[in-house]
Amino acid sequence: MSLTPSAVSDMYRMSGSADNPSFAPTVQCIHLKKIDKGGEERWKVILSDGTNFLSGMCATQLNHLVHSGTISQHCILQVNDFIVNTMGSGQKIVILLDAEQIGPNPGERIGAPTDITKAGAGGQGAPAPQANAGAQPMYGNVQSSGGGGNPYGRGSPGNGGSNPYGGSNNNNRFGGSQAANSSNPVVRTSPSGQPFTPISGLNMYSNRWVIRAKVTSKGDVRTWSNAKGEGQLFSAELLDSSGTDVRCTFFKEAVDKFYNFLEEGRVYTFSGGRLKVANMQYNTCKSQFEITFDQNSEIHLEQDKGSDIQANYEFVKIAQLENQEPQGYVDILGVVKHVDEPATIVSKKSGKELTKCELTIEDDSGAEIRMTMWGAIATNAPTTFANQPIVAFKRARVSDYGGRTLSGQAFAVNPEIPQMEGLKQWWAVNGNKSPSR
């Protein structure tokens, strides 16, 4: 099995798979070691293309591949998704997000790869660590004293801190300092010089982030109860100028602190949240992560209106929805020509009362469709969608109950987008003339 030539050097120059989605290099895992930090299992890995190697980590969602032996010492992997994270020291590591084994394990190292981070113009760097080399630090030399070794190579954790990613041991529970020289990708700064990280740049191994984003939707407050206790929560979706949105959830005390403070359409800065891998069965945002905020998170209202933050739509005409697979998601732009009265139903799953409202939406394909809204949006629908406005619906879910129908929560009334004018002119001439679906 041949390795992809220059795979490591190519990965080293990239920020991740998003730079080139077709790039899926074949590499060898030449080093694999378990790290237990704070009770959370992580696996450090070193990838080689036979010429160079690059250190990194497996994302926790790949732990099962290590347990099953799919990812193992000397195995050959096809890397389907990855990101490259720059540590506070300036050293780069690769984070494996998705990989699969290719062919049999050769049982030995291929070639004599050298460290890409130490390679000069000639491409020759330090030799790769051997499997029996002991607890060799991944990310540089460690000057430890009395507290054990820091495997991330940025000083000793012996001061009582618990930051596994290096940096100073201060009161920042998210690790490192919040100084303006953060290594996170910066797209712009606030008037005070605070650096912002784009939502598209968030990853599981970079905790010192601050994002500037617009609240595009905010759900109702809900209650939950399980073996661990009970409480309340609400979810919201945030969009930033990178064009990426992310789902976030607020629990318990954070609901009391932030629910009324956050308003749809307003711009805020957010920090102090915890990332987890998104469950794409229920999450339709572009980010592969979700954020959990608690009462210690910091959220501040920005005074600007966020004119640089615009939703990216991929509109599908209503007449084409018959070709869409049920349970998929679509963006549509149409005129809300009719709003039913809100109604209350009892959920078969939870036994709780739910409020719903049916909208009839028409677009310039000459067709219309029914859209179901839920919760507070449904309750306020007769007012929100009064006077037949043009509305952009983001990621409405396609269903197949007696024909295609939609359900959704995210929308913008009379959005300032180029497609608005053409639909407005079409409606002025052809309004209410399309057949019912």
Side-chain angles (χ1 to χ4, degrees), residues 222 343-356 374-375:
R222 296 177 289 146
T344 300
I345 64 172
V346 177
S347 170
K348 294 180 180 179
K349 182 177 180 180
S350 65
K352 297 180 179 180
E353 287 191 347
L354 301 175
T355 303
K356 60 178 291 188
W374 297 92

Side-chain angles (χ1 to χ4, degrees), residues 311-321 324 329-335 361 363-365 371 390-396 406 410-421 423:
N312 295 318
Y313 296 98
E314 298 178 1
F315 292 122
V316 175
K317 296 297 184 182
I318 293 175
Q320 299 173 352
L321 291 180
Q324 300 291 321
Y329 295 88
V330 295
D331 301 340
I332 66 168
L333 179 69
V335 178
I361 304 166
D363 72 3
D364 53 8
S365 67
M371 165 86 78
I390 293 177
V391 181
F393 293 91
K394 186 73 172 175
R395 292 186 304 275
L406 298 173
F411 63 90
V413 177
N414 296 321
E416 296 181 0
I417 56 176
Q419 298 92 328
M420 266 283 295
E421 189 60 34
L423 180 57

Side-chain angles (χ1 to χ4, degrees), residues 83-87 91-95 183-184 203 205-206:
I83 55 176
V84 174
N85 188 27
T86 303
M87 305 296 286
Q91 190 167 3
K92 293 183 178 182
I93 63 171
V94 62
I95 310 299
S183 61
N184 294 330
N203 64 76
Y205 299 92
S206 180

Side-chain angles (χ1 to χ4, degrees), residues 238-311:
L238 311 178
L239 174 72
D240 73 357
S241 58
S242 73
T244 303
D245 54 357
V246 64
R247 180 184 176 90
C248 57
T249 304
F250 298 75
F251 287 94
K252 294 187 174 181
E253 293 87 350
V255 176
D256 298 328
K257 184 174 182 179
F258 294 120
Y259 186 78
N260 292 328
F261 177 63
L262 295 177
E263 300 179 18
E264 291 184 7
R266 301 297 296 270
V267 178
Y268 302 81
T269 60
F270 300 82
S271 61
R274 292 183 291 109
L275 297 181
K276 67 176 183 178
V277 177
N279 184 343
M280 291 307 180
Q281 182 179 357
Y282 305 104
N283 187 335
T284 61
C285 292
K286 288 185 177 181
S287 176
Q288 60 189 315
F289 303 108
E290 297 177 359
I291 306 175
T292 299
F293 291 108
D294 62 23
Q295 72 273 22
N296 296 315
S297 301
E298 292 192 17
I299 303 177
H300 301 284
L301 176 65
E302 290 280 285
Q303 296 305 312
D304 67 280
K305 296 182 179 180
S307 58
D308 59 318
I309 302 176
Q310 298 292 334

